[in-house]
Every structure is written in C-alpha cells, then in structure tokens.
Short mmCIF file of all heavy atoms in Angstrom, two decimals:
data_model
loop_
_atom_site.label_atom_id
_atom_site.label_comp_id
_atom_site.label_asym_id
_atom_site.label_seq_id
_atom_site.Cartn_x
_atom_site.Cartn_y
_atom_site.Cartn_z
N PRO A 259 -1.55 -3.84 18.42
CA PRO A 259 -2.82 -4.63 18.72
C PRO A 259 -3.94 -4.07 18.00
O PRO A 259 -4.21 -2.88 18.06
CB PRO A 259 -2.94 -4.45 20.25
CG PRO A 259 -2.13 -3.22 20.57
CD PRO A 259 -0.99 -3.11 19.63
N GLN A 260 -4.73 -4.93 17.34
CA GLN A 260 -5.91 -4.53 16.71
C GLN A 260 -6.97 -4.34 17.82
O GLN A 260 -7.21 -5.21 18.60
CB GLN A 260 -6.45 -5.59 15.76
CG GLN A 260 -5.58 -5.76 14.51
CD GLN A 260 -6.23 -6.69 13.49
OE1 GLN A 260 -7.22 -6.39 12.85
NE2 GLN A 260 -5.67 -7.90 13.39
N GLY A 261 -7.60 -3.20 17.81
CA GLY A 261 -8.63 -2.89 18.85
C GLY A 261 -8.54 -1.56 19.50
O GLY A 261 -9.44 -1.06 20.08
N GLY A 262 -7.32 -1.01 19.38
CA GLY A 262 -7.14 0.37 19.97
C GLY A 262 -7.33 1.44 18.98
O GLY A 262 -7.06 1.30 17.79
N PRO A 263 -7.80 2.62 19.36
CA PRO A 263 -8.03 3.74 18.43
C PRO A 263 -6.77 4.23 17.73
O PRO A 263 -6.86 4.83 16.68
CB PRO A 263 -8.60 4.89 19.38
CG PRO A 263 -9.11 4.17 20.60
CD PRO A 263 -8.20 2.95 20.75
N LEU A 264 -5.63 4.00 18.29
CA LEU A 264 -4.38 4.50 17.70
C LEU A 264 -3.87 3.57 16.66
O LEU A 264 -3.08 4.02 15.79
CB LEU A 264 -3.34 4.76 18.80
CG LEU A 264 -2.00 5.37 18.46
CD1 LEU A 264 -2.20 6.79 17.83
CD2 LEU A 264 -1.10 5.48 19.67
N SER A 265 -4.17 2.28 16.75
CA SER A 265 -3.59 1.32 15.88
C SER A 265 -3.80 1.55 14.37
O SER A 265 -2.85 1.35 13.58
CB SER A 265 -4.17 -0.12 16.23
OG SER A 265 -3.80 -0.42 17.55
N PRO A 266 -5.01 1.89 13.88
CA PRO A 266 -5.15 2.19 12.46
C PRO A 266 -4.17 3.23 11.92
O PRO A 266 -3.65 3.10 10.84
CB PRO A 266 -6.57 2.55 12.26
CG PRO A 266 -7.31 1.95 13.47
CD PRO A 266 -6.24 2.06 14.60
N LEU A 267 -4.04 4.28 12.67
CA LEU A 267 -3.12 5.35 12.22
C LEU A 267 -1.68 4.80 12.20
O LEU A 267 -0.95 5.12 11.19
CB LEU A 267 -3.19 6.58 13.13
CG LEU A 267 -2.25 7.74 12.81
CD1 LEU A 267 -2.58 8.31 11.44
CD2 LEU A 267 -2.40 8.84 13.90
N LEU A 268 -1.27 4.11 13.18
CA LEU A 268 0.09 3.56 13.21
C LEU A 268 0.32 2.57 12.04
O LEU A 268 1.39 2.45 11.45
CB LEU A 268 0.38 2.78 14.53
CG LEU A 268 0.38 3.75 15.72
CD1 LEU A 268 0.64 2.96 16.96
CD2 LEU A 268 1.41 4.83 15.60
N ALA A 269 -0.71 1.79 11.71
CA ALA A 269 -0.59 0.92 10.57
C ALA A 269 -0.39 1.67 9.28
O ALA A 269 0.42 1.27 8.43
CB ALA A 269 -1.89 0.08 10.42
N ASN A 270 -1.09 2.74 9.12
CA ASN A 270 -0.88 3.55 7.84
C ASN A 270 0.49 4.20 7.83
O ASN A 270 1.10 4.34 6.76
CB ASN A 270 -1.95 4.64 7.78
CG ASN A 270 -3.27 4.11 7.15
OD1 ASN A 270 -3.25 3.21 6.34
ND2 ASN A 270 -4.36 4.76 7.46
N VAL A 271 0.99 4.54 9.06
CA VAL A 271 2.39 5.13 9.06
C VAL A 271 3.37 4.07 8.68
O VAL A 271 4.29 4.36 7.86
CB VAL A 271 2.65 5.63 10.54
CG1 VAL A 271 4.20 5.89 10.68
CG2 VAL A 271 1.87 6.82 10.87
N MET A 272 3.15 2.81 9.14
CA MET A 272 4.14 1.72 8.81
C MET A 272 4.12 1.43 7.33
O MET A 272 5.14 1.16 6.75
CB MET A 272 3.71 0.48 9.58
CG MET A 272 4.76 -0.60 9.50
SD MET A 272 6.32 -0.13 10.23
CE MET A 272 7.43 -1.36 9.61
N LEU A 273 2.95 1.50 6.66
CA LEU A 273 2.80 1.11 5.29
C LEU A 273 2.95 2.34 4.34
O LEU A 273 2.82 2.14 3.12
CB LEU A 273 1.46 0.43 5.03
CG LEU A 273 1.35 -0.99 5.67
CD1 LEU A 273 -0.02 -1.51 5.53
CD2 LEU A 273 2.39 -1.93 5.05
N ASP A 274 3.22 3.55 4.89
CA ASP A 274 3.35 4.61 3.99
C ASP A 274 4.63 4.47 3.13
O ASP A 274 4.63 4.94 1.93
CB ASP A 274 3.51 5.91 4.86
CG ASP A 274 3.60 7.17 4.03
OD1 ASP A 274 2.68 7.48 3.27
OD2 ASP A 274 4.60 7.94 4.09
N ASP A 275 5.66 3.84 3.59
CA ASP A 275 6.82 3.60 2.79
C ASP A 275 6.47 2.69 1.59
O ASP A 275 7.02 2.91 0.49
CB ASP A 275 7.92 2.87 3.67
CG ASP A 275 8.75 3.89 4.46
OD1 ASP A 275 8.24 5.04 4.67
OD2 ASP A 275 9.76 3.51 4.99
N LEU A 276 5.60 1.69 1.79
CA LEU A 276 5.20 0.88 0.71
C LEU A 276 4.49 1.77 -0.35
O LEU A 276 4.73 1.61 -1.54
CB LEU A 276 4.23 -0.19 1.23
CG LEU A 276 3.59 -1.08 0.13
CD1 LEU A 276 4.59 -1.88 -0.69
CD2 LEU A 276 2.55 -2.02 0.78
N ASP A 277 3.59 2.62 0.13
CA ASP A 277 2.86 3.47 -0.83
C ASP A 277 3.85 4.31 -1.67
O ASP A 277 3.69 4.49 -2.90
CB ASP A 277 1.91 4.34 -0.09
CG ASP A 277 0.82 3.64 0.64
OD1 ASP A 277 0.51 2.46 0.25
OD2 ASP A 277 0.22 4.19 1.62
N ARG A 278 4.81 4.91 -0.97
CA ARG A 278 5.81 5.73 -1.68
C ARG A 278 6.64 4.97 -2.66
O ARG A 278 6.95 5.43 -3.71
CB ARG A 278 6.66 6.47 -0.63
CG ARG A 278 5.97 7.38 0.28
CD ARG A 278 5.09 8.37 -0.43
NE ARG A 278 4.30 9.19 0.50
CZ ARG A 278 3.33 9.95 0.06
NH1 ARG A 278 3.04 10.14 -1.23
NH2 ARG A 278 2.53 10.62 0.90
N TYR A 279 6.97 3.76 -2.27
CA TYR A 279 7.77 2.89 -3.20
C TYR A 279 6.92 2.66 -4.46
O TYR A 279 7.45 2.73 -5.59
CB TYR A 279 8.12 1.62 -2.48
CG TYR A 279 8.71 0.54 -3.37
CD1 TYR A 279 10.04 0.66 -3.81
CD2 TYR A 279 7.96 -0.51 -3.89
CE1 TYR A 279 10.61 -0.27 -4.68
CE2 TYR A 279 8.53 -1.42 -4.76
CZ TYR A 279 9.83 -1.34 -5.13
OH TYR A 279 10.35 -2.23 -6.04
N LEU A 280 5.68 2.21 -4.28
CA LEU A 280 4.82 1.85 -5.44
C LEU A 280 4.60 3.14 -6.31
O LEU A 280 4.58 3.02 -7.56
CB LEU A 280 3.50 1.36 -4.94
CG LEU A 280 3.58 -0.02 -4.21
CD1 LEU A 280 2.16 -0.42 -3.76
CD2 LEU A 280 4.14 -1.09 -5.14
N GLU A 281 4.44 4.33 -5.70
CA GLU A 281 4.32 5.54 -6.42
C GLU A 281 5.57 5.89 -7.22
O GLU A 281 5.53 6.38 -8.34
CB GLU A 281 3.90 6.67 -5.52
CG GLU A 281 2.51 6.63 -5.01
CD GLU A 281 2.12 7.78 -4.10
OE1 GLU A 281 3.04 8.41 -3.45
OE2 GLU A 281 1.00 8.12 -3.98
N SER A 282 6.72 5.64 -6.59
CA SER A 282 8.00 5.96 -7.31
C SER A 282 8.19 5.10 -8.55
O SER A 282 8.82 5.48 -9.48
CB SER A 282 9.17 5.72 -6.38
OG SER A 282 9.35 4.37 -6.05
N LYS A 283 7.50 3.92 -8.61
CA LYS A 283 7.66 3.04 -9.71
C LYS A 283 6.47 3.31 -10.70
O LYS A 283 6.36 2.67 -11.74
CB LYS A 283 7.49 1.54 -9.26
CG LYS A 283 8.71 1.08 -8.37
CD LYS A 283 9.92 0.92 -9.26
CE LYS A 283 11.08 0.27 -8.37
NZ LYS A 283 12.24 -0.03 -9.23
N HIS A 284 5.61 4.24 -10.37
CA HIS A 284 4.47 4.61 -11.16
C HIS A 284 3.52 3.47 -11.34
O HIS A 284 2.86 3.32 -12.44
CB HIS A 284 4.89 5.17 -12.54
CG HIS A 284 5.80 6.31 -12.41
ND1 HIS A 284 5.46 7.60 -12.01
CD2 HIS A 284 7.19 6.42 -12.62
CE1 HIS A 284 6.49 8.39 -11.97
NE2 HIS A 284 7.54 7.76 -12.38
N TYR A 285 3.35 2.60 -10.32
CA TYR A 285 2.41 1.46 -10.47
C TYR A 285 1.01 1.97 -10.05
O TYR A 285 0.87 2.87 -9.18
CB TYR A 285 2.86 0.34 -9.45
CG TYR A 285 4.12 -0.31 -9.84
CD1 TYR A 285 4.98 -0.86 -8.79
CD2 TYR A 285 4.55 -0.37 -11.16
CE1 TYR A 285 6.21 -1.36 -9.19
CE2 TYR A 285 5.75 -0.95 -11.52
CZ TYR A 285 6.54 -1.51 -10.50
OH TYR A 285 7.74 -2.10 -10.81
N ARG A 286 0.01 1.37 -10.67
CA ARG A 286 -1.32 1.62 -10.27
C ARG A 286 -1.79 0.71 -9.15
O ARG A 286 -1.78 -0.52 -9.27
CB ARG A 286 -2.24 1.45 -11.53
CG ARG A 286 -3.70 1.80 -11.20
CD ARG A 286 -4.64 1.64 -12.39
NE ARG A 286 -5.92 2.21 -12.07
CZ ARG A 286 -6.31 3.46 -12.38
NH1 ARG A 286 -5.44 4.13 -13.11
NH2 ARG A 286 -7.52 3.89 -12.04
N PHE A 287 -2.18 1.26 -8.05
CA PHE A 287 -2.55 0.42 -6.88
C PHE A 287 -3.60 1.09 -5.96
O PHE A 287 -3.88 2.28 -6.13
CB PHE A 287 -1.26 0.06 -6.04
CG PHE A 287 -0.80 1.23 -5.22
CD1 PHE A 287 -1.02 1.36 -3.92
CD2 PHE A 287 0.06 2.19 -5.84
CE1 PHE A 287 -0.54 2.42 -3.13
CE2 PHE A 287 0.57 3.22 -5.07
CZ PHE A 287 0.25 3.33 -3.76
N ALA A 288 -4.21 0.27 -5.18
CA ALA A 288 -5.13 0.71 -4.15
C ALA A 288 -4.86 0.00 -2.88
O ALA A 288 -4.75 -1.30 -2.90
CB ALA A 288 -6.59 0.56 -4.63
N ARG A 289 -4.80 0.69 -1.81
CA ARG A 289 -4.56 0.01 -0.49
C ARG A 289 -5.61 0.41 0.56
O ARG A 289 -5.96 1.59 0.63
CB ARG A 289 -3.17 0.38 0.06
CG ARG A 289 -2.83 -0.28 1.36
CD ARG A 289 -1.40 -0.07 1.81
NE ARG A 289 -1.25 1.34 2.20
CZ ARG A 289 -1.54 1.82 3.45
NH1 ARG A 289 -2.17 1.10 4.33
NH2 ARG A 289 -1.34 3.13 3.68
N TYR A 290 -6.11 -0.57 1.28
CA TYR A 290 -6.94 -0.36 2.43
C TYR A 290 -6.38 -1.10 3.58
O TYR A 290 -6.45 -2.37 3.61
CB TYR A 290 -8.42 -0.85 2.10
CG TYR A 290 -9.31 -0.50 3.32
CD1 TYR A 290 -9.98 0.71 3.31
CD2 TYR A 290 -9.54 -1.45 4.29
CE1 TYR A 290 -10.85 1.01 4.36
CE2 TYR A 290 -10.42 -1.11 5.37
CZ TYR A 290 -11.10 0.13 5.39
OH TYR A 290 -11.94 0.40 6.41
N ALA A 291 -5.74 -0.40 4.58
CA ALA A 291 -5.04 -1.01 5.62
C ALA A 291 -3.94 -1.93 5.14
O ALA A 291 -3.11 -1.52 4.22
CB ALA A 291 -6.01 -1.67 6.63
N ASP A 292 -3.97 -3.23 5.50
CA ASP A 292 -2.98 -4.12 4.99
C ASP A 292 -3.39 -4.95 3.72
O ASP A 292 -2.63 -5.78 3.26
CB ASP A 292 -2.53 -5.10 6.02
CG ASP A 292 -3.70 -5.90 6.59
OD1 ASP A 292 -4.87 -5.38 6.62
OD2 ASP A 292 -3.53 -7.05 7.03
N ASP A 293 -4.51 -4.56 3.18
CA ASP A 293 -4.98 -5.18 1.95
C ASP A 293 -4.67 -4.20 0.74
O ASP A 293 -5.13 -3.06 0.76
CB ASP A 293 -6.52 -5.40 1.98
CG ASP A 293 -6.89 -6.56 2.96
OD1 ASP A 293 -6.25 -7.61 2.83
OD2 ASP A 293 -7.81 -6.34 3.80
N PHE A 294 -3.89 -4.66 -0.19
CA PHE A 294 -3.62 -3.85 -1.40
C PHE A 294 -3.55 -4.68 -2.61
O PHE A 294 -3.19 -5.86 -2.61
CB PHE A 294 -2.36 -3.03 -1.13
CG PHE A 294 -1.06 -3.82 -1.12
CD1 PHE A 294 -0.28 -3.89 -2.17
CD2 PHE A 294 -0.67 -4.47 0.04
CE1 PHE A 294 0.95 -4.59 -2.18
CE2 PHE A 294 0.52 -5.23 0.15
CZ PHE A 294 1.34 -5.26 -1.04
N VAL A 295 -3.83 -4.00 -3.71
CA VAL A 295 -3.90 -4.70 -5.00
C VAL A 295 -3.15 -3.71 -6.01
O VAL A 295 -3.36 -2.47 -6.02
CB VAL A 295 -5.33 -4.89 -5.49
CG1 VAL A 295 -5.35 -5.17 -6.99
CG2 VAL A 295 -5.99 -6.07 -4.79
N ILE A 296 -2.28 -4.32 -6.79
CA ILE A 296 -1.57 -3.54 -7.86
C ILE A 296 -2.17 -4.01 -9.24
O ILE A 296 -2.15 -5.18 -9.51
CB ILE A 296 -0.10 -3.83 -7.76
CG1 ILE A 296 0.46 -3.53 -6.41
CG2 ILE A 296 0.68 -3.01 -8.86
CD1 ILE A 296 1.91 -4.04 -6.21
N SER A 297 -2.66 -3.11 -9.96
CA SER A 297 -3.26 -3.41 -11.23
C SER A 297 -2.18 -3.39 -12.37
O SER A 297 -1.37 -2.37 -12.45
CB SER A 297 -4.40 -2.36 -11.61
OG SER A 297 -5.38 -2.43 -10.61
N VAL A 298 -2.20 -4.51 -13.15
CA VAL A 298 -1.19 -4.56 -14.23
C VAL A 298 -1.87 -4.98 -15.53
O VAL A 298 -3.02 -5.44 -15.49
CB VAL A 298 -0.01 -5.55 -13.87
CG1 VAL A 298 0.72 -5.01 -12.68
CG2 VAL A 298 -0.62 -6.89 -13.57
N LYS A 299 -1.19 -4.99 -16.59
CA LYS A 299 -1.80 -5.31 -17.91
C LYS A 299 -1.47 -6.72 -18.41
O LYS A 299 -1.99 -7.14 -19.48
CB LYS A 299 -1.41 -4.23 -18.91
CG LYS A 299 -2.10 -2.87 -18.60
CD LYS A 299 -2.00 -1.91 -19.75
CE LYS A 299 -2.77 -0.66 -19.46
NZ LYS A 299 -2.69 0.38 -20.58
N SER A 300 -0.49 -7.40 -17.78
CA SER A 300 -0.15 -8.74 -18.23
C SER A 300 0.31 -9.59 -17.02
O SER A 300 0.79 -9.04 -16.03
CB SER A 300 0.93 -8.72 -19.33
OG SER A 300 2.20 -8.31 -18.74
N PHE A 301 0.25 -10.89 -17.22
CA PHE A 301 0.65 -11.76 -16.18
C PHE A 301 2.17 -11.71 -15.96
O PHE A 301 2.63 -11.63 -14.76
CB PHE A 301 0.35 -13.24 -16.60
CG PHE A 301 0.69 -14.28 -15.59
CD1 PHE A 301 -0.10 -14.51 -14.47
CD2 PHE A 301 1.90 -14.96 -15.69
CE1 PHE A 301 0.31 -15.45 -13.52
CE2 PHE A 301 2.26 -15.91 -14.74
CZ PHE A 301 1.45 -16.17 -13.66
N ILE A 302 2.95 -11.60 -16.96
CA ILE A 302 4.40 -11.51 -16.93
C ILE A 302 4.82 -10.20 -16.13
O ILE A 302 5.67 -10.28 -15.23
CB ILE A 302 5.05 -11.52 -18.30
CG1 ILE A 302 4.79 -12.87 -19.01
CG2 ILE A 302 6.54 -11.24 -18.17
CD1 ILE A 302 5.32 -12.90 -20.41
#
C-alpha cells in the first residue's frame, strides 16, 4: 500500500533484482521507485 513509511523501502527491495539484472548487462539506466529509463544509442 502506498502511504505507509515501510512501503518505499519494500518497493526498492522488490526492484533490486531489476537493478542487478540491468547492471549485469552493463546497461546505462536510472531508476526512481517504479519509474526507470534505460539510455541507448539507437532505436534498434
């Protein structure tokens, strides 16, 4: 539930696997909670 003091930390715990996956691929990205962007050099 959004609104509790514990929720933001739990959200980051849940998405830590995503961060590790993107890092293992050496992708350039930035994440803020559930908003994230991966920077690339071409559309393909």
Side-chain angles (χ1 to χ4, degrees):
Q260 294 187 70
L264 185 58
S265 298
L267 178 61
L268 295 180
N270 276 334
V271 168
M272 189 66 194
L273 290 173
D274 185 60
D275 279 16
L276 172 64
D277 297 338
R278 298 306 173 190
Y279 171 78
L280 296 176
E281 285 181 337
S282 71
K283 296 287 188 175
H284 304 289
Y285 295 150
R286 184 182 187 93
F287 72 99
R289 182 176 67 80
Y290 184 87
D292 58 328
D293 290 311
F294 69 100
V295 165
I296 306 168
S297 300
V298 295
K299 292 190 174 182
S300 72
F301 180 81
I302 295 175

